[in-house]
Amino acid sequence: MIADDPGLLNILNSMEHLPRHNVLFAGVQYLLMGDDEALLTRYYPNFVGNPLEVGGIVGPFTDFVLAHADELVAIGRTKYTQTNECRRCVGLLPAVWATGANRFHLIDFGTSAGLNLQLDRYRYR
């Protein structure tokens, strides 16, 4: 879908952070959270109780992205998605180092549940 549309490709290629398609989809989701009137929200189950069939999403998605091109490119230049465990674990390091403990228990929940539980498999300086 994106590969066949020069306008969408231009927006995608204007984003600096990788993976660009993840940033684009995250940016669309972010913008939709502030736009209840957008036709595209009708395809997202987190916005409506009975979403439209995904087969009809190409037109509304393309229209939404093209109408919000500047905002999406700005998001793609200033935000990134987290796709590796090492970078996720780095947020825990100050707390881990501050404990001074040789052993501790870590509980992880949410969308990354389990990824941070492998903190001991990485080396940090």
Side-chain angles (χ1 to χ4, degrees):
M1 165 179 104
I2 293 174
D4 296 332
D5 189 298
L8 294 178
L9 273 177
N10 185 44
I11 293 166
L12 191 66
N13 289 328
S14 297
M15 296 183 166
E16 293 178 15
H17 292 141
L18 300 174
R20 289 183 178 116
H21 59 282
N22 287 5
V23 177
L24 175 66
F25 292 130
V28 168
Q29 175 85 10
Y30 175 76
L31 293 177
L32 284 174
M33 288 190 304
D35 188 355
D36 295 338
E37 300 300 318
L39 173 62
L40 188 56
T41 60
R42 296 181 196 166
Y43 291 89
Y44 284 73
N46 55 320
F47 294 123
V48 296
N50 189 18
L52 296 175
E53 291 293 322
V54 73
I57 200 170
V58 174
F61 179 84
T62 301
D63 294 344
F64 185 85
V65 170
L66 294 176
H68 295 86
D70 292 339
E71 294 165 281
L72 289 166
V73 169
I75 288 170
R77 290 186 176 159
T78 58
K79 308 291 184 198
Y80 60 91
T81 57
Q82 179 48 263
T83 59
N84 67 56
E85 292 82 1
C86 295
R87 195 183 287 165
R88 287 178 196 223
C89 292
V90 78
L92 297 172
L93 291 179
V96 170
W97 289 337
T99 67
N102 290 335
R103 301 184 82 178
F104 57 91
H105 295 280
L106 182 63
I107 299 172
D108 194 6
F109 59 93
T111 57
S112 68
L115 295 175
N116 293 324
L117 297 179
Q118 297 187 35
L119 183 65
D120 60 331
R121 295 181 183 231
Y122 305 106
R123 295 189 75 123
Y124 297 94
R125 291 188 219 178

